[in-house]
Amino acid sequence: MSLTQTIQTTGMSVLKAVLFDLDGTLLNRDESVRRFIHDQYARLKGHLTGIEERDYVTRFIELDQHGYRWKDVVYNQLIQEFEISGITRQELLDDYVNQFQHFCVAFPNLKPMLSALKARGLRLGIITNGFGELQMKSNPWSRHPRLFRLCARL
């Protein structure tokens, strides 16, 4: 039973707000990372000579561990394993921090669902265990701050 159906059938008038996690709930993180890392390879391939795109992408995704490993560690490992020179870990990390937001993908039908909840007078919030600024940049609705009333880091 969906949240909307539960509200309708139980008459849960006490429900005032709905909190969402960002990664894997609002944001299709796996697809977002896949799109980003392919683009990063294409943009920086002059620094990644001798490394196949498939190998770079696959290894980044493995090392990332669905976002549970911070990217400085991921990029350090990539630099060591692929013997990358000509670009530093910090430059790769800065690229991630500045560019990832442009590749974020929401799950299908999410915006209509959130709009329907908001139309019912429910407050919407995001909780995350990630780093606040990066997480908010990754939020597909960061350009619509009125949609969410709360964003908290655990």
Side-chain angles (χ1 to χ4, degrees), residues 30-153:
D30 291 343
E31 180 61 19
S32 300
V33 167
R34 189 189 67 72
R35 288 181 184 195
F36 164 76
I37 202 63
H38 276 286
D39 183 78
Q40 183 180 61
Y41 180 88
R43 286 182 294 106
L44 303 178
K45 66 182 170 187
H47 299 288
L48 306 172
T49 54
I51 305 168
E52 294 292 326
E53 181 175 4
R54 158 186 87 250
D55 296 335
Y56 183 79
V57 168
T58 300
R59 191 62 180 137
F60 180 95
I61 290 169
E62 288 170 355
L63 291 170
D64 179 59
Q65 297 178 355
H66 296 284
Y68 287 103
R69 182 178 280 170
W70 185 233
K71 302 311 162 279
D72 59 345
V73 174
V74 171
Y75 285 121
N76 263 343
Q77 190 69 32
L78 288 173
I79 286 170
Q80 288 175 6
E81 287 182 20
F82 290 125
E83 299 177 358
I84 297 171
S85 60
I87 192 165
T88 67
R89 174 202 62 134
Q90 190 60 50
E91 290 169 317
L92 290 167
L93 181 59
D94 289 346
D95 183 70
Y96 176 84
V97 169
N98 294 318
Q99 297 298 319
F100 180 73
Q101 64 186 317
H102 303 295
F103 299 91
C104 293
V105 178
F107 283 107
N109 302 312
L110 192 53
K111 190 169 183 177
M113 187 268 300
L114 292 173
S115 296
L117 292 172
K118 190 76 173 168
R120 287 193 164 83
L122 294 170
R123 292 182 178 182
L124 305 179
I126 298 172
I127 56 172
T128 181
N129 61 350
F131 292 93
E133 183 181 343
L134 181 60
Q135 292 294 90
M136 285 314 295
K137 284 181 179 179
S138 302
N139 177 353
W141 296 280
S142 61
R143 293 179 194 91
H144 308 286
R146 291 185 183 157
L147 187 58
F148 292 96
R149 301 276 303 210
L150 168 70
C151 182
R153 184 172 185 267

